[in-house]
Amino acid sequence: MGLLTFSLNLTLDGCVDHQEGIADDETHARFTRLLDECGAMLWGRVTYEMMESYWPAVARGDQEAPPAMREWAVKLEAKPKYVVSSTRNDFPWTNSHHIADDLRESVQKLKDATPAGVLLGSGKLATELDRLDLIDEYQLLVHPRIAGHGPTLYQGGLPGTRRLELLSAEPLRNGAVAMHYRRAR
């Protein structure tokens, strides 16, 4: 069985607005390594639509992008992408698959079928999956910024505090810190 790893950019005050992070070569190279290590991506519909509106064009070369961003886009294009949605059924982006059945059962089946693990990249979906005790690890990139606004990580709340065990903390040259945790059992 593969692990479900939640990975996201956030500011020091917990803001997960994708426009608030540092999008440089070092950051993209880090997320490309995470993408290389996993067997599939898992998103909610809103994140999927945000990604679908930009990255396929970068992968095709229709959108100007630095080499690190293009490498990410090409690898993302090839990666299986699973999307949880109750409002949309058609997901035409290459290698996209719809998850519409029971969330707990569907995500557990995906984990079981993906030995290399699944990388979760949606904040709201992470809250729901954490409530179901399905997230195994957290790879968060904390940016040296205070946004002063939301949305924030786990804004919807959890039924209780999650205790985590630190596996690694790696400072990046841009001032961000890559934090890798697993759930303390």
Side-chain angles (χ1 to χ4, degrees), residues 5-183:
T5 301
F6 175 38
S7 182
L8 207 64
N9 291 293
L10 68 151
T11 61
L12 193 58
D13 59 344
C15 177
V16 295
D17 181 336
H18 73 279
Q19 297 178 72
E20 293 297 343
I22 300 167
D24 62 8
D25 286 352
E26 184 178 27
T27 302
H28 277 94
R30 182 181 185 287
F31 280 102
T32 300
R33 282 192 307 275
L34 287 176
L35 188 63
D36 285 343
E37 293 167 2
C38 77
M41 296 295 302
L42 177 61
W43 294 318
R45 179 192 53 81
V46 172
T47 302
Y48 174 87
E49 289 174 349
M50 177 185 66
M51 302 295 270
E52 175 189 42
S53 72
Y54 181 71
W55 292 109
V58 174
R60 288 189 307 269
D62 297 343
Q63 176 77 37
E64 291 277 330
M69 289 176 69
R70 185 158 325 284
E71 180 184 5
W72 156 262
V74 168
K75 289 183 178 191
L76 184 59
E77 187 75 15
K79 191 67 65 173
K81 296 168 276 295
Y82 292 85
V83 187
V84 174
S85 178
S86 61
T87 60
R88 181 177 168 182
N89 297 317
D90 181 40
F91 298 90
W93 187 7
T94 306
N95 295 319
S96 294
H97 310 278
H98 184 210
I99 293 179
D101 297 327
D102 178 79
L103 186 60
R104 179 190 304 271
E105 184 178 314
S106 296
V107 172
Q108 187 61 56
K109 282 182 183 177
L110 178 59
K111 287 172 65 173
D112 292 344
T114 313
V118 179
L119 195 61
L120 167 63
S122 293
K124 286 184 182 178
L125 181 56
T127 300
E128 294 307 312
L129 295 175
D130 227 332
R131 287 180 182 151
L132 297 172
D133 292 323
L134 288 169
I135 298 178
D136 303 295
E137 293 189 354
Y138 305 79
Q139 294 233 17
L140 304 174
L141 187 59
V142 182
H143 293 261
R145 296 183 174 175
I146 297 173
H149 63 81
T152 58
L153 192 59
Y154 291 101
Q155 192 166 321
L158 291 174
T161 300
R162 291 282 183 252
R163 291 198 334 244
L164 306 175
E165 176 186 343
L166 179 65
L167 298 177
S168 66
E170 176 191 349
L172 278 63
R173 289 185 307 274
N174 63 21
V177 179
M179 309 294 289
H180 184 185
Y181 293 94
R182 77 170 150 226
R183 291 198 49 186

